[in-house]
Amino acid sequence: MPEDGRATRRVAILAHHNVTMIDVAGPADVFSHANTFGAAYETVLVSPDGADAVTSNGLTLRVGAAAAEVAGLDTVIVPGAYGMVEHPFASSLVNSVDHLTAVSSRVASVCTGSFLLAEIGLLNHRKATTHFTRLELFRTRFSAVDVQDDALYVRDGTITTSAGIGSGIDLALTFVEDDYGPELARLVARQMLIFVQRPGGASQFSAASRFSAVENRPLRALVDAIVADPAADYSVAAMAAHAHVSPRQLARLFADELSVTPARYVETVRLEAAQTLLQRGYTVQSAAELSGLGSAPTLRRLFLARLGVSPSVYAERMTGA
């Protein structure tokens, strides 16, 4: 036990064949940095048989124990692996997940690790997510899971699933905040040179990166204009005039090219603009006006609906104010 009397929180991360390195290293580094600021995490790397694991980038992870040997965990993290979901899971891997989740009070997955949690039935009738490229496969394979599209991570009770890669860091920071408070989590994020600690409901992508592959030139010019100046007039009539099409053609172009309605696209861009403004220290009202959302109540409703947090809470998390 640490000198200040805090009980050590035991975290196990499951390493397995071809595991994605950052899915393991990201959360592990968060807990390690947290310890330098007064947290008390003990992180152990385990594998199904106790053997070292070769990751997807060819490096080898030194494993501390076989999964069946550990117990009394506070947290278990199940990472994903490239190509893992394309083949039946090895029974030893499934058994390891079954054991680890049974002896831990908090369970999490990173990337396609959610498939392993679903395989043992742990996500049945729960909300969950995974990497965006595997969402439809996840939904098809596990029909009892309430799959959440385009979220960094999803919490349902004591189980959290994340989208993968960098979102595993967001996931671990959230656990640090739960365990030791927001200030310590912010110190860790700052130490790791992470610009912001993103809420789970945030999109896996910015609007610009998600919707940049637009082939229709008039539509491309319009979406670029929306990103450049989200507070301008983007009524249906104004957008149709900008793209030199009828309102009906505008709706069809957005559906065909972007799989979204014009209004939803504008809303998404404005929401992200408001997030950036709040991160820069603007008030909720100013962020609402400058992003084109108009008023603080409108911004609050949109934040709660899309991100699951209020603008003021979001600003506190991002700025430490």
Side-chain angles (χ1 to χ4, degrees), residues 176-197:
V176 171
E177 181 173 335
D178 289 345
D179 297 338
Y180 297 103
E183 181 57 30
L184 197 147
R186 280 194 292 271
L187 289 173
V188 173
R190 188 177 301 118
Q191 182 72 14
M192 294 179 69
L193 300 181
I194 300 169
F195 180 53
V196 292
Q197 178 189 344

Side-chain angles (χ1 to χ4, degrees), residues 231 273-274 277-278 281-296 299:
L277 290 164
L278 290 171
Y282 284 80
T283 65
V284 173
Q285 182 60 42
S286 294
E289 293 173 356
L290 294 173
S291 66
L293 290 170
S295 67
L299 184 60

Side-chain angles (χ1 to χ4, degrees), residues 211-212 214 217 219-229 234 265:
F211 302 130
S212 60
V214 176
R217 288 189 178 182
L219 182 60
R220 178 58 184 268
L222 173 60
V223 298
D224 286 348
I226 295 170
V227 172
D229 184 13
Y234 295 115
Y265 181 85

Side-chain angles (χ1 to χ4, degrees), residues 15-17 45-54 60-67 69:
H16 46 94
H17 176 66
L45 195 62
V46 303
S47 66
D49 57 2
D52 292 347
V54 179
T60 299
L61 293 172
R62 179 169 293 181
V63 169
E69 296 173 356

Side-chain angles (χ1 to χ4, degrees), residues 2 8 10 37 51 62 100 129 248 250 271 281 285 317-318:
T8 299
R10 301 189 68 221
F37 293 109
R62 179 169 293 181
L100 291 169
T129 194
R248 179 173 294 182
L250 180 76
L271 173 61
Q285 182 60 42
R317 288 184 180 179
M318 299 307 118

Side-chain angles (χ1 to χ4, degrees), residues 129 151-155 160-163 167 170-171 174 198-201:
T129 194
L152 285 174
Y153 58 87
V154 173
R155 306 181 73 168
T160 307
T161 53
S162 65
S167 66
D170 296 291
L171 170 81
T174 296
R198 300 170 293 180

Side-chain angles (χ1 to χ4, degrees), residues 126-159:
R126 290 181 180 271
K127 294 180 180 179
T129 194
T130 192
H131 193 275
F132 78 101
T133 62
R134 295 294 181 266
L135 282 167
E136 289 309 313
L137 179 62
F138 192 42
R139 182 178 284 108
T140 300
R141 187 173 297 180
F142 303 107
S143 58
V145 178
D146 184 3
V147 179
Q148 304 293 294
D149 293 340
D150 198 18
L152 285 174
Y153 58 87
V154 173
R155 306 181 73 168
D156 192 322
T158 59
I159 301 173

